[in-house]
Amino acid sequence: MSNDSSFLSTWARSIAPSPTLAVDAKAKALKAAGKDVCGFGAGEPDFDTPKFIKDACAKALAEGKTKYVPTPGILPLRKAIAADYVSRGFRNLTEANIVLSPGGKMSCYLSIVATISPGDEAIIPAPYWVSYPEMVKLAGGVPKFISAEDTAGFKVTPEQLRAAITPKTRLFILTSPSNPTGTVYTREETEALVAVAVEHGIYVLSDEIYAHLTYDGVVASHPATFSDRAAELVITASGFAKTYAMTGWRLGTIAAPLPIAKAVSSLQSQMSSNCTSFAQFGALAVFEQPEKAAESVAEMRATFDRRRKMFLDGLNAIPGISCYRSQGAFYLFPNIKSFGLSSSDFAAKLLEEELVAVVPGIAFGAEGYMRLSYAVSDETIRKGIDRIARFCKKLRGA
């Protein structure tokens, strides 16, 4: 067999590897080589998974809960997730609408594969999470982009959405809070966008993986709660990774209209069977011990909020950089257009000269920006600000 890539499938040849994971891998390789790297690339909480969750998982392991479980997930966890969503205003939702998947990323992918056929279009606001366009392509679909700059708060408008819809449009992907910008749409803004989707009868994939991580008193809204018709068209993807520092556990969730939930479960039955059994019992502790869960989230949110403000102030104090005030997730997305470099060149030189790892904005469909995660230590943020300031001063020739 030849090593020529032409022997690979169409999907394998056309797909792009995750740039965020690539940046993180490069930063880790440099650290392993003894370099003092400030890594702001990975979207991963630097907290440990709360002990009560790990204890519940360890108990499940000790009790031998290591076998296959139903494809959509263990019943107690699905019931608990459904009850939690109902308490937040979701309509006509039961465990039958809930599917557990191997990670929030897989939840998004399964939702896309369940709704997109070859040739169908999916509208994706930019800046976007790096995986959305590739997932649409893997389903044989066509990603269509609508863009918003920092001057608009990185928020697209109903008019932009309406103008992008064609007879081939099948799906609109909405992420609030956003990765990479940290933008949180208000309820009114979200309702206006969802109203356009409902008017045209297109599905909405609402990625709410960061819904519990908001600041400045803002609250993330849930599109599926807006109306009975919205409940029939909105697929809510989420998971435990960001909220409970469980990235390695690979536990995503889907709350969807029954036909979509059934389709997703069937797809998953052929792809991965089920997500890890004992991990699900660990996640169940979140709902069985709500006070501990709330305490762990509050602690993490408070820490992220402090880091957000420190990093935001530090970046905005650097001549040539302007940074939008994010209100969710754990990212900042500063504007670096004044330096006249592409975001890829800026990121490459910053890593080479100052050992600071960031993700270039072009990876998110937004040239002229860079994404930095503040899910890192205070010391790393302070050191990173100093290095970025020194780098920018050299670029300006000051």
Side-chain angles (χ1 to χ4, degrees):
M1 175 70 73
S2 169
N3 290 323
D4 191 331
S5 63
S6 63
F7 284 89
L8 296 174
S9 72
T10 300
W11 315 122
R13 279 185 277 124
S14 63
I15 203 71
S18 169
T20 53
L21 295 181
V23 168
D24 187 49
K26 190 167 186 178
K28 286 177 178 175
L30 287 169
K31 285 182 181 180
K35 303 291 185 181
D36 181 22
V37 178
C38 293
F40 300 110
E44 180 172 46
D46 59 326
F47 290 79
D48 191 11
T49 304
K51 184 176 183 300
F52 76 98
I53 296 175
K54 293 194 293 183
D55 287 346
C57 179
K59 182 173 181 288
L61 277 168
E63 293 175 350
K65 294 175 179 175
T66 59
K67 307 297 184 184
Y68 289 131
V69 296
T71 293
I74 60 173
L75 187 58
L77 182 55
R78 291 164 57 217
K79 283 186 173 181
I81 292 169
D84 180 61
Y85 274 133
V86 168
S87 74
R88 288 188 261 159
F90 279 63
R91 304 161 185 241
N92 304 316
L93 199 74
T94 72
E95 64 272 13
N97 301 96
I98 306 298
V99 180
L100 275 293
S101 66
K105 183 175 285 189
M106 192 65 168
S107 294
C108 291
Y109 179 57
L110 287 168
S111 300
I112 289 169
V113 173
T115 54
I116 291 288
S117 298
D120 286 343
E121 294 174 351
I123 299 174
I124 305 173
Y128 48 72
W129 178 47
V130 296
S131 294
Y132 295 141
E134 305 307 314
M135 290 175 176
V136 171
K137 292 175 190 175
L138 282 171
V142 180
K144 291 191 67 178
F145 305 108
I146 50 178
S147 299
E149 297 282 338
D150 51 357
T151 51
F154 297 115
K155 295 176 180 179
V156 299
T157 66
E159 292 73 26
Q160 284 178 288
L161 175 57
R162 184 174 285 108
I165 293 174
T166 76
K168 294 183 178 180
T169 304
R170 182 73 168 165
L171 181 68
F172 171 55
I173 300 178
L174 181 64
T175 316
S176 177
S178 163
N179 173 7
T181 65
T183 289
V184 184
Y185 285 81
T186 66
R187 181 182 175 92
E188 292 73 23
E189 291 165 341
T190 311
E191 283 182 325
L193 289 168
V194 173
V196 175
V198 167
E199 175 190 338
H200 289 82
I202 62 176
Y203 285 111
V204 177
L205 172 56
S206 179
D207 186 347
E208 302 178 14
I209 193 73
Y210 296 100
H212 293 287
L213 298 176
T214 57
Y215 318 102
D216 295 340
V218 305
V219 177
S221 56
H222 305 294
T225 67
F226 293 164
S227 67
D228 288 340
R229 183 58 175 151
E232 294 173 351
L233 291 171
V234 176
I235 306 163
T236 303
S238 189
F240 297 87
K242 314 297 183 178
T243 309
Y244 300 102
M246 295 171 66
T247 50
W249 292 58
R250 310 315 300 143
L251 280 176
T253 62
I254 297 167
L258 200 54
I260 301 296
K262 289 180 177 178
V264 163
S265 184
S266 295
L267 287 164
Q268 181 162 280
S269 73
Q270 299 289 4
M271 292 179 176
S272 63
S273 296
N274 55 264
C275 47
T276 304
S277 56
F278 44 88
Q280 294 184 54
F281 286 98
L284 182 59
V286 166
F287 304 100
E288 293 179 335
Q289 302 180 59
E291 281 131 8
K292 289 183 178 179
E295 286 172 10
S296 67
V297 174
E299 178 189 356
M300 191 161 63
R301 188 192 298 115
T303 300
F304 284 152
D305 192 18
R306 188 190 71 250
R307 293 172 178 172
R308 175 183 68 107
K309 293 171 181 173
M310 178 171 63
F311 214 172
L312 183 69
D313 290 345
L315 289 170
N316 276 327
I318 299 172
I321 287 181
S322 62
C323 189
Y324 168 79
R325 185 183 181 92
S326 71
Q327 295 183 306
F330 37 67
Y331 307 107
L332 294 174
F333 204 62
N335 187 319
I336 55 167
K337 294 179 182 180
S338 70
F339 297 103
L341 290 176
S342 71
S343 58
S344 296
D345 286 345
F346 188 99
K349 289 177 180 292
L350 182 59
L351 182 58
E352 178 186 348
E353 296 180 20
E354 294 291 347
L355 294 177
V356 174
V358 302
V359 186
I362 192 63
F364 307 96
E367 185 56 276
Y369 298 88
M370 60 180 179
R371 192 194 77 172
L372 301 96
S373 167
Y374 50 85
V376 295
S377 69
D378 291 25
E379 179 187 0
T380 299
I381 292 174
R382 283 191 288 267
K383 194 184 298 183
I385 290 169
D386 289 342
R387 293 182 184 183
I388 294 169
R390 186 166 61 228
F391 176 71
C392 292
K393 186 176 181 180
K394 287 188 289 184
L395 289 180
R396 296 194 320 273

